[in-house]
Amino acid sequence: MRRGGEVVRGHGSTRSVTRWATTVVVLVGLASGCSSHDTAQDDETREHYCSTLGTWQKEKARSGNADVAGYAALAAARRLDKEGLDRSGSHVLRDTALAVDNADTDAEGRAASYCTDAGFETYVR
């Protein structure tokens, strides 16, 4: 049936299209919700890690004895690891442990790069 130059279909096909569109919207919403881990709490966890790592770097540079700050950085790295917040295949916990326990400057650089990539470059060296 035509009305004013447009084709008007029966109610059955309109209802089917509406159901189909609703299903697609719901599925897309669910899929995007499952793939995103960037909540405000996740950003706070990353910021906390980068802040503690930066504190450890400063203490190490000042006195050379940064054990307490190192333990705090390791605890923050464990939390990142536990919550699966490593990005791009980084190994924050391993790199932080190598940097703090073994004075591995390459590992320290990789840990600091994580903070740069997460947007918290001002906290680290």
Side-chain angles (χ1 to χ4, degrees):
M1 171 169 148
R2 288 189 177 265
R3 185 184 312 158
E6 64 181 324
V7 176
V8 179
R9 296 198 166 113
H11 293 294
S13 65
T14 303
R15 205 171 313 181
S16 295
V17 170
T18 302
R19 269 191 240 142
W20 179 82
T22 301
T23 302
V24 169
V25 168
V26 168
L27 290 174
V28 168
L30 289 174
S32 66
C34 293
S35 65
S36 176
H37 291 285
D38 289 307
T39 66
Q41 184 176 356
D42 293 342
D43 284 341
E44 287 174 13
T45 302
R46 288 183 186 103
E47 181 178 17
H48 175 71
Y49 167 73
C50 295
S51 175
T52 58
L53 181 67
T55 299
W56 169 74
Q57 289 176 317
K58 289 174 189 142
E59 288 296 315
K60 181 180 67 137
R62 269 190 232 142
S63 67
N65 184 9
D67 290 343
V68 173
Y71 295 136
L74 281 170
R78 277 188 207 98
R79 184 173 171 200
L80 279 176
D81 186 62
K82 180 182 173 188
E83 295 182 17
L85 297 177
D86 280 357
R87 287 188 168 176
S88 304
S90 63
H91 302 283
V92 173
L93 179 57
R94 183 192 64 193
D95 288 335
T96 304
L98 287 170
V100 170
D101 293 336
N102 299 334
D104 184 331
T105 56
D106 290 335
E108 182 180 343
R110 289 188 300 269
S113 290
Y114 172 86
C115 294
T116 299
D117 293 344
F120 298 109
E121 63 276 353
T122 58
Y123 289 103
V124 295
R125 298 170 158 233

